[in-house]
Amino acid sequence: MKDQQKWQRIRYMPTTTLGANGQRVTGCKEHISLSRRAAREGAVLLKNKNELLPFCNGSKLAVFGKAQADYVKGGGGSGDTTVAYTLSLLDGLKEKEAEGRLSLFTPVSDYYQENITAQYADGCLPGQTKEPTLPAALLEQARAYTDVAIISICRFSGESWDRTGEPYDGDFFLSREEAAMVRQVRDAFNRIVVVLNTGGMMDTRWIREDDHVGAALLAWQGGMEGGLAMADLLCGDVCPSGRLSDTFAVNFDAYPSSATFNQSEEYIEYNDDIYVGYRYFETIPGAAEKVCYPFGFGLSYTTFAMENLQCTEQENGFLACVTVTNTGKCAGKQVVQVYCKPPQGKLGKPKSVLVGFGKTNTLKPGESQKLSIDFTQMDFASYDDLGKIQASAWVLEAGQYTFFAGENVREIEPLPLTWTVEKDRVLCQLSPQCVPSQLPERMLADGSYEALPKRPVPERFAQNDDILPFDGQHPTESPFTEPFTAWGEPTLPQLMDVYTGKIKLASLISLLSDEQKVRLLCGQPNRGVANTFGFGNLLMYGIPNVMTADGPAGLRIRPQCGVTTTAFPCATLLCCTWDTCLVYEVGKAGAKEVKENGIGVWLTPAINIHRSPLCGRNFEYYSEDPLLTGKMATEMIRGIQSEGIACSLKHFACNNKETNRRNADSRVSERALREIYLKGFELCVKNAKPWTVMSSYNLINGVRASENKDLLTSILRNEWGFDGIVTTDWYTFGEQYREIAAGNDIKMGCGMPEHTLQMMNEGLLNHADVDRSVERLLKLILRLD
């Protein structure tokens, strides 16, 4: 470690602090406190039989399972963070014990702590350790000490690999060792609380159906102080208010995506179409009984009444109003969810569609708050891709539309408005984009399938390893880069001259050579503490090298740089808060850390849909529902960009599987694409105006996302009005000249400057396309603080 620290400050530059009185904001107490607060608000209470929780003062507890000490703060890969410390469930419970709130049976916890410490010393990483065998004698001693047990379970997943869904796999399902430990504890204890420290969906049927399990807390991955947040909730310092952003089914096979998720490494057939998550379970005959916990579900330590339900049509949509009163014994928050039930019509539709939501402040017993939730016709419109009503159009079919409000997708009450559409209505006429050619069929609302038209298969360009940058190759310095000096006047026009109005941007661009322009559209070498490279870097014209950094659970900086940051909860937990204001706070706090460390672009948020529980990166993503995803991510983006830092909205689009992610073809209908997989992106682009978007690795209906003009130009720019830059994901298999022509401005981490310049000289890449991308890049840099 000493060797790694030598020249650390010289190599990586000291931080210029942004906090009050010269204090740094990176990893500060205020941000860590925010992380803990978010972790508390996003945890979901799944079960609480006979009010087993919260624990009363003086409770005696025995804690079982390695996860009490083997704490997983977040997922692996680009979503990881380097932190000063993490605090586990055991740490949190010990804090409560020190306060005199409870008593732990120490021998059991010491056994697990020692075992995990030894596994870490052998090279195991958090969440990847094995569940040790629980000694029978230790269990017997624990039972003599108390009649209350906590069972802890943790899960880890990461970038570039998917989870497994086989019985006893120790991933979606319990491992054999975990199952054995659970059986031992349930046979000895009648009062059991389960705590799940996971980044994605997993089997919860055993929790719901076992009467020995009295309570269960889905704590997700709660960032660096998630263990303290768990203890806060278990002891009643805070009332749980998280609500599920996904449907938890009785088993893996119950999800409609399960049949096709692993059918091939070369492609994925999205034949479940628009029937993803609750749209499937609440609509398809026979699916409802396969649900353990429905979408939007979550319990509380208090009770609420929803009264004075109103719904009126407004000039630009609808307004639902609900008065929420805390009718219980402790302070808490309530989430109100509004759903539309549309007519089936010719297109077929989900039984219910989320159209809006709101969350109260903390209400004391007897206190009330009125929530006003607005939504539009487009929030429940359907996209007609086959011309059953109007081809390539967003439509409302004739019939009655009813609206409901409640605690989750199943516990809802009708709102006093039945809205009738007398005849079919076209809301927005578009044109076919990203049309499938190799998707044979798709699901309908009755569970049957309809055949899709056969169309010509687009040309698929082969991966050219001879010219593509390889994964891990670093960008090289531009031959045009001149060192910056703090003295003397520049002899060439500068980008700052554009900012101050001395010259026009077009004039500056006109001075650049073709090679300079192309090199601007390639990833640039790292500076300071950055490790994901930069944009720009033509210093002779005053164009800085703008650094990027990974997210989305906090600023990611390599450990050898010597900077520890705040690890916020994973995106799924943040979404389960259903609290847009809180997510804005997290975005703003994270952006301050990004700025303080000399970074200009934060590669977050990631908003791909939770199509399958097995996607290895679901912890980075928000929900199975596009509207919830879009509205929560919109506030994250607003928080980030309020600090003059660019977000990079990713992965655009259909990156719902990690296996062979650079070459897998997502075969999806245009209807499902627009209603499910693009809708969250559309909401973010139109409402938050992100400064950058990252195209995904995969192909979409036979065309690489980074080379997909339908996606990047026709939809993103022409339909939605996006005015920022598009960057590839790092080391895509697309060729840069085709990416630029499609509307993908920058190739990361390395570009292909020589080959791209050759394509320009051969007339295969238009000069106008290059100029356009350079202009977008420079406009982005001008926006940054």
Side-chain angles (χ1 to χ4, degrees):
M1 189 63 185
K2 277 282 188 182
D3 291 343
Q4 288 187 352
Q5 291 176 348
K6 186 174 177 64
W7 302 316
Q8 187 180 80
R9 293 183 180 275
I10 294 172
R11 292 181 64 190
Y12 300 115
M13 302 188 306
T15 297
T16 302
T17 59
L18 296 177
N21 301 318
Q23 300 298 307
R24 76 172 195 157
V25 300
T26 305
C28 66
K29 290 181 179 180
E30 292 78 9
H31 289 181
I32 295 173
S33 176
L34 172 62
S35 175
R36 180 174 178 177
R37 175 158 57 94
R40 293 190 302 227
E41 194 161 327
V44 182
L45 184 63
L46 296 176
K47 188 175 183 180
N48 197 19
K49 182 181 174 183
N50 298 324
E51 297 185 347
L52 177 55
L53 291 176
F55 295 130
C56 59
N57 283 343
S59 293
K60 293 183 176 181
L61 306 175
V63 189
F64 298 91
K66 71 181 181 71
Q68 63 183 290
D70 184 23
Y71 174 62
V72 182
K73 71 180 187 303
S78 66
D80 199 4
T81 49
T82 301
V83 295
Y85 63 88
T86 59
L87 294 175
S88 65
L89 171 62
L90 183 56
D91 292 325
L93 293 174
K94 285 182 176 179
E95 181 182 86
K96 302 303 178 187
E97 185 175 42
E99 295 171 357
R101 305 279 298 283
L102 54 84
S103 298
L104 295 175
F105 182 63
T106 303
V108 168
S109 293
D110 286 348
Y111 167 75
Y112 283 106
Q113 181 70 74
E114 291 167 6
N115 183 277
I116 294 306
T117 300
Q119 290 195 56
Y120 285 172
D122 287 339
C124 286
L125 298 175
Q128 297 179 305
T129 59
K130 289 192 65 175
E131 183 70 42
T133 300
L134 173 59
L138 202 55
L139 177 66
E140 185 176 343
Q141 294 169 23
R143 183 62 186 88
Y145 177 80
T146 181
D147 65 344
V148 181
I150 296 176
I151 293 176
S152 61
I153 304 290
C154 68
R155 289 293 181 267
F156 175 82
S157 62
E159 184 177 5
S160 302
W161 51 278
D162 288 310
R163 301 173 63 200
T164 60
E166 299 297 323
Y168 298 110
D169 62 1
D171 198 345
F172 183 81
F173 294 100
L174 297 178
S175 68
R176 293 187 185 279
E177 294 80 7
E178 288 171 333
M181 178 268 292
V182 168
R183 285 194 299 270
Q184 286 179 274
V185 175
R186 73 173 298 283
D187 288 345
F189 291 83
N190 289 322
R191 302 173 68 199
I192 298 172
V193 176
V194 174
V195 179
L196 301 177
N197 168 208
T198 177
M201 289 174 275
M202 59 183 295
D203 177 36
T204 53
R205 187 175 187 173
W206 63 280
I207 292 173
R208 189 193 67 175
E209 295 183 353
D210 192 339
D211 288 338
H212 288 76
V213 176
L217 181 69
L218 176 59
W220 297 110
Q221 292 169 344
M224 60 195 295
E225 290 198 349
L228 303 187
M230 296 179 206
D232 292 339
L233 290 159
L234 294 173
C235 292
D237 295 347
V238 179
C239 182
S241 64
R243 303 292 181 264
L244 292 179
S245 64
D246 296 296
T247 304
F248 277 55
V250 295
N251 55 46
F252 172 66
D253 291 337
Y255 294 93
S257 60
S258 299
T260 60
F261 187 78
N262 287 318
Q263 70 184 122
S264 171
E265 288 194 2
E266 299 302 316
Y267 62 87
I268 310 100
E269 291 182 351
Y270 287 55
N271 55 13
D272 46 344
D273 207 55
I274 63 169
Y275 298 100
V276 177
Y278 72 88
R279 286 169 166 81
Y280 170 81
F281 290 106
E282 304 305 318
T283 306
I284 304 301
E289 64 236 33
K290 299 177 182 178
V291 173
C292 262
Y293 298 105
F295 176 79
F297 176 82
L299 300 176
S300 174
Y301 295 154
T302 189
T303 57
F304 298 93
M306 296 188 186
E307 302 169 315
N308 303 322
L309 277 65
Q310 303 171 19
C311 190
T312 56
E313 186 175 3
Q314 307 287 306
E315 182 178 354
N316 297 317
F318 303 85
L319 181 66
C321 297
V322 179
T323 299
V324 178
T325 302
N326 185 339
T327 57
K329 299 178 180 179
C330 68
K333 296 182 178 182
Q334 174 67 311
V335 175
V336 175
Q337 304 162 35
V338 179
Y339 294 87
C340 172
K341 293 192 175 184
Q344 278 296 310
K346 296 178 182 178
L347 294 175
K349 301 174 188 67
K351 180 181 177 182
S352 296
V353 176
L354 181 73
V355 293
F357 60 92
K359 190 168 189 176
T360 68
N361 302 323
T362 300
L363 301 179
K364 298 176 182 178
E367 188 176 4
S368 299
Q369 182 180 348
K370 181 179 179 180
L371 290 179
S372 297
I373 301 166
D374 59 354
F375 55 98
T376 70
Q377 296 175 18
M378 282 296 293
D379 292 327
F380 53 86
S382 301
Y383 187 81
D384 184 0
D385 53 1
L386 296 184
K388 295 179 180 179
I389 303 298
Q390 177 77 19
S392 305
W394 285 98
V395 301
L396 292 176
E397 290 197 71
Q400 291 187 339
Y401 293 77
T402 52
F403 305 101
F404 298 78
E407 297 183 10
N408 59 68
V409 71
R410 293 187 172 178
E411 296 180 79
I412 50 179
E413 300 178 33
L415 291 169
L417 174 67
T418 298
W419 191 65
T420 302
V421 175
E422 298 295 341
K423 62 180 183 179
D424 298 335
R425 184 182 302 177
V426 175
L427 296 183
C428 181
Q429 182 64 58
L430 300 173
S431 58
Q433 307 292 339
C434 301
V435 178
S437 58
Q438 294 176 283
L439 182 66
E441 62 181 10
R442 67 175 173 193
M443 185 180 291
L444 298 175
D446 62 0
S448 65
Y449 290 82
E450 71 173 349
L452 292 175
K454 293 183 178 179
R455 298 181 175 93
V457 178
E459 179 182 5
R460 178 168 178 173
F461 299 101
Q463 174 187 333
N464 191 339
D465 291 327
D466 293 334
I467 61 172
L468 285 173
F470 57 86
D471 198 349
Q473 179 180 345
H474 284 210
T476 57
E477 287 287 358
S478 167
F480 303 103
T481 297
E482 294 183 355
F484 170 80
T485 60
W487 55 87
E489 293 296 324
T491 58
L492 295 172
Q494 303 288 291
L495 185 60
M496 183 59 70
D497 296 333
V498 177
Y499 181 75
T500 59
K502 292 181 180 179
I503 62 172
K504 298 291 185 183
L505 181 58
S507 298
L508 180 63
I509 294 173
S510 70
L511 299 175
L512 307 182
S513 68
D514 287 346
E515 184 175 358
Q516 288 171 333
K517 293 173 184 176
V518 167
R519 288 187 179 276
L520 279 173
L521 303 182
C522 301
Q524 301 298 322
N526 288 320
R527 296 282 187 271
V529 298
N531 63 278
T532 53
F533 313 126
F535 301 159
N537 196 28
L538 189 55
L539 298 185
M540 60 196 301
Y541 288 101
I543 300 171
N545 188 1
V546 177
M547 291 297 100
T548 68
D550 274 328
L555 170 62
R556 184 187 185 211
I557 296 175
R558 292 176 299 176
Q560 59 263 42
C561 295
V563 177
T564 57
T565 66
T566 304
F568 293 99
C570 71
T572 305
L573 183 150
L574 292 179
C575 194
C576 286
T577 68
W578 296 64
D579 188 333
T580 55
C581 295
L582 177 62
V583 173
Y584 179 93
E585 283 187 71
V586 171
K588 190 175 183 69
K592 287 180 178 179
E593 300 197 9
V594 170
K595 180 190 291 188
E596 186 172 70
N597 286 280
I599 309 294
V601 181
W602 194 13
L603 306 176
T604 188
I607 65 167
N608 296 102
I609 292 295
H610 291 169
R611 176 176 180 255
S612 168
L614 299 192
C615 177
R617 226 164 161 183
N618 274 349
F619 64 91
E620 284 195 46
Y621 307 149
Y622 284 65
S623 171
E624 69 186 26
D625 181 75
L627 182 126
L628 178 60
T629 293
K631 286 187 175 292
M632 297 295 282
T634 287
E635 295 308 312
M636 174 67 77
I637 294 167
R638 285 174 172 163
I640 294 168
Q641 296 188 166
S642 71
E643 290 295 319
I645 296 298
C647 81
S648 190
L649 182 64
K650 62 184 187 181
H651 309 90
F652 192 57
C654 295
N655 188 172
N656 306 106
K657 182 178 178 179
E658 288 296 288
T659 303
N660 193 31
R661 57 183 177 163
R662 286 185 173 94
N663 253 336
D665 184 14
S666 297
R667 299 174 180 175
V668 57
S669 78
E670 192 183 358
R671 181 181 182 188
L673 191 65
R674 289 184 179 273
E675 290 190 25
I676 305 296
Y677 300 102
L678 296 187
K679 177 58 74 172
F681 288 97
E682 180 180 5
L683 291 170
C684 288
V685 168
K686 290 182 174 179
N687 296 317
K689 302 188 185 306
W691 297 347
T692 83
V693 165
M694 184 192 297
S695 59
S696 55
Y697 286 120
N698 53 285
L699 293 84
I700 300 174
N701 291 327
V703 181
R704 294 191 188 281
S706 63
E707 300 177 349
N708 197 318
K709 192 168 186 176
D710 281 5
L711 181 72
L712 303 181
T713 297
S714 297
I715 294 176
L716 179 62
R717 296 189 187 279
N718 296 345
E719 291 183 12
W720 300 351
F722 176 68
D723 65 353
I725 68 164
V726 177
T727 170
T728 66
D729 206 334
W730 273 226
Y731 304 100
T732 59
F733 290 159
E735 294 185 23
Q736 189 174 9
Y737 82 98
R738 285 197 298 267
E739 292 172 337
I740 292 171
N744 198 118
D745 304 300
I746 300 176
K747 188 169 186 66
M748 298 296 291
C750 291
M752 306 168 63
E754 293 84 4
H755 182 263
T756 304
L757 187 61
Q758 178 186 339
M759 295 298 100
M760 287 183 70
N761 293 334
E762 294 179 6
L764 296 177
L765 175 60
N766 293 331
H767 285 70
D769 290 339
V770 173
D771 285 353
R772 182 184 56 202
S773 289
V774 169
E775 180 183 8
R776 290 169 181 160
L777 169 62
L778 298 183
K779 283 182 176 178
L780 165 69
I781 295 174
L782 289 167
R783 282 171 154 172
L784 298 174
D785 182 2

PDB file of all heavy atoms in Angstrom, residues 123 259 285 327 342 428-429 450 463 502 701-702 718:
ATOM      1  N   GLY A 123      -9.417 -13.874   0.383  1.00  0.00           N
ATOM      2  CA  GLY A 123      -9.649 -13.245  -0.914  1.00  0.00           C
ATOM      3  C   GLY A 123     -11.092 -13.127  -1.331  1.00  0.00           C
ATOM      4  O   GLY A 123     -11.373 -12.586  -2.413  1.00  0.00           O
ATOM      5  N   ALA A 259     -38.535 -17.754 -19.945  1.00  0.00           N
ATOM      6  CA  ALA A 259     -38.401 -18.754 -21.008  1.00  0.00           C
ATOM      7  C   ALA A 259     -37.391 -18.340 -22.064  1.00  0.00           C
ATOM      8  O   ALA A 259     -36.763 -19.194 -22.704  1.00  0.00           O
ATOM      9  CB  ALA A 259     -39.763 -19.008 -21.653  1.00  0.00           C
ATOM     10  N   PRO A 285     -54.465 -14.165 -17.814  1.00  0.00           N
ATOM     11  CA  PRO A 285     -55.228 -15.139 -17.022  1.00  0.00           C
ATOM     12  C   PRO A 285     -54.323 -16.146 -16.321  1.00  0.00           C
ATOM     13  O   PRO A 285     -53.414 -16.718 -16.927  1.00  0.00           O
ATOM     14  CB  PRO A 285     -56.108 -15.824 -18.079  1.00  0.00           C
ATOM     15  CG  PRO A 285     -56.274 -14.797 -19.166  1.00  0.00           C
ATOM     16  CD  PRO A 285     -54.962 -14.075 -19.207  1.00  0.00           C
ATOM     17  N   THR A 327     -53.671   7.317  10.739  1.00  0.00           N
ATOM     18  CA  THR A 327     -54.643   6.833  11.716  1.00  0.00           C
ATOM     19  C   THR A 327     -54.010   5.895  12.747  1.00  0.00           C
ATOM     20  O   THR A 327     -54.720   5.266  13.537  1.00  0.00           O
ATOM     21  CB  THR A 327     -55.787   6.100  10.995  1.00  0.00           C
ATOM     22  OG1 THR A 327     -55.228   5.020  10.215  1.00  0.00           O
ATOM     23  CG2 THR A 327     -56.545   7.037  10.084  1.00  0.00           C
ATOM     24  N   PRO A 342     -57.664   0.882 -18.771  1.00  0.00           N
ATOM     25  CA  PRO A 342     -58.172   1.240 -20.088  1.00  0.00           C
ATOM     26  C   PRO A 342     -59.046   0.129 -20.678  1.00  0.00           C
ATOM     27  O   PRO A 342     -59.008  -1.015 -20.210  1.00  0.00           O
ATOM     28  CB  PRO A 342     -56.881   1.401 -20.896  1.00  0.00           C
ATOM     29  CG  PRO A 342     -55.964   0.378 -20.282  1.00  0.00           C
ATOM     30  CD  PRO A 342     -56.318   0.312 -18.822  1.00  0.00           C
ATOM     31  N   CYS A 428     -50.637  11.216 -31.420  1.00  0.00           N
ATOM     32  CA  CYS A 428     -49.364  11.618 -32.015  1.00  0.00           C
ATOM     33  C   CYS A 428     -49.029  10.675 -33.159  1.00  0.00           C
ATOM     34  O   CYS A 428     -48.887   9.465 -32.941  1.00  0.00           O
ATOM     35  CB  CYS A 428     -48.261  11.590 -30.960  1.00  0.00           C
ATOM     36  SG  CYS A 428     -46.645  12.099 -31.575  1.00  0.00           S
ATOM     37  N   GLN A 429     -48.928  11.217 -34.371  1.00  0.00           N
ATOM     38  CA  GLN A 429     -48.579  10.410 -35.531  1.00  0.00           C
ATOM     39  C   GLN A 429     -47.067  10.407 -35.728  1.00  0.00           C
ATOM     40  O   GLN A 429     -46.433  11.466 -35.807  1.00  0.00           O
ATOM     41  CB  GLN A 429     -49.252  10.956 -36.796  1.00  0.00           C
ATOM     42  CG  GLN A 429     -48.977  10.144 -38.048  1.00  0.00           C
ATOM     43  CD  GLN A 429     -49.554   8.732 -37.964  1.00  0.00           C
ATOM     44  OE1 GLN A 429     -50.759   8.559 -37.771  1.00  0.00           O
ATOM     45  NE2 GLN A 429     -48.699   7.722 -38.093  1.00  0.00           N
ATOM     46  N   GLU A 450     -49.615 -13.511 -31.008  1.00  0.00           N
ATOM     47  CA  GLU A 450     -49.892 -13.175 -32.397  1.00  0.00           C
ATOM     48  C   GLU A 450     -48.593 -13.160 -33.188  1.00  0.00           C
ATOM     49  O   GLU A 450     -47.548 -12.750 -32.677  1.00  0.00           O
ATOM     50  CB  GLU A 450     -50.596 -11.828 -32.533  1.00  0.00           C
ATOM     51  CG  GLU A 450     -49.761 -10.604 -32.230  1.00  0.00           C
ATOM     52  CD  GLU A 450     -50.484  -9.307 -32.562  1.00  0.00           C
ATOM     53  OE1 GLU A 450     -51.540  -9.343 -33.208  1.00  0.00           O
ATOM     54  OE2 GLU A 450     -49.972  -8.236 -32.153  1.00  0.00           O
ATOM     55  N   GLN A 463     -17.944  -7.821 -36.492  1.00  0.00           N
ATOM     56  CA  GLN A 463     -16.977  -7.223 -35.582  1.00  0.00           C
ATOM     57  C   GLN A 463     -15.587  -7.311 -36.206  1.00  0.00           C
ATOM     58  O   GLN A 463     -15.103  -8.399 -36.525  1.00  0.00           O
ATOM     59  CB  GLN A 463     -17.013  -7.957 -34.251  1.00  0.00           C
ATOM     60  CG  GLN A 463     -15.958  -7.533 -33.257  1.00  0.00           C
ATOM     61  CD  GLN A 463     -15.970  -8.429 -32.032  1.00  0.00           C
ATOM     62  OE1 GLN A 463     -17.007  -8.995 -31.690  1.00  0.00           O
ATOM     63  NE2 GLN A 463     -14.827  -8.576 -31.389  1.00  0.00           N
ATOM     64  N   LYS A 502     -17.051  36.646 -27.999  1.00  0.00           N
ATOM     65  CA  LYS A 502     -16.118  37.312 -28.900  1.00  0.00           C
ATOM     66  C   LYS A 502     -16.163  36.732 -30.304  1.00  0.00           C
ATOM     67  O   LYS A 502     -15.959  37.445 -31.292  1.00  0.00           O
ATOM     68  CB  LYS A 502     -14.697  37.216 -28.347  1.00  0.00           C
ATOM     69  CG  LYS A 502     -14.465  38.021 -27.069  1.00  0.00           C
ATOM     70  CD  LYS A 502     -13.021  37.886 -26.601  1.00  0.00           C
ATOM     71  CE  LYS A 502     -12.780  38.679 -25.324  1.00  0.00           C
ATOM     72  NZ  LYS A 502     -11.377  38.526 -24.841  1.00  0.00           N
ATOM     73  N   ASN A 701     -33.000  -5.124 -32.757  1.00  0.00           N
ATOM     74  CA  ASN A 701     -33.578  -5.623 -34.005  1.00  0.00           C
ATOM     75  C   ASN A 701     -32.559  -5.636 -35.134  1.00  0.00           C
ATOM     76  O   ASN A 701     -32.801  -5.187 -36.253  1.00  0.00           O
ATOM     77  CB  ASN A 701     -34.817  -4.814 -34.381  1.00  0.00           C
ATOM     78  CG  ASN A 701     -35.966  -5.054 -33.426  1.00  0.00           C
ATOM     79  OD1 ASN A 701     -36.125  -6.161 -32.901  1.00  0.00           O
ATOM     80  ND2 ASN A 701     -36.751  -4.026 -33.147  1.00  0.00           N
ATOM     81  N   GLY A 702     -31.371  -6.171 -34.814  1.00  0.00           N
ATOM     82  CA  GLY A 702     -30.361  -6.418 -35.827  1.00  0.00           C
ATOM     83  C   GLY A 702     -29.392  -5.295 -36.080  1.00  0.00           C
ATOM     84  O   GLY A 702     -28.465  -5.455 -36.879  1.00  0.00           O
ATOM     85  N   ASN A 718     -35.072  13.813 -33.291  1.00  0.00           N
ATOM     86  CA  ASN A 718     -36.149  14.403 -34.079  1.00  0.00           C
ATOM     87  C   ASN A 718     -37.498  14.336 -33.370  1.00  0.00           C
ATOM     88  O   ASN A 718     -38.273  15.296 -33.403  1.00  0.00           O
ATOM     89  CB  ASN A 718     -36.240  13.721 -35.439  1.00  0.00           C
ATOM     90  CG  ASN A 718     -34.992  13.931 -36.282  1.00  0.00           C
ATOM     91  OD1 ASN A 718     -34.182  14.797 -35.982  1.00  0.00           O
ATOM     92  ND2 ASN A 718     -34.827  13.131 -37.326  1.00  0.00           N
TER      93      ASN A 718
END
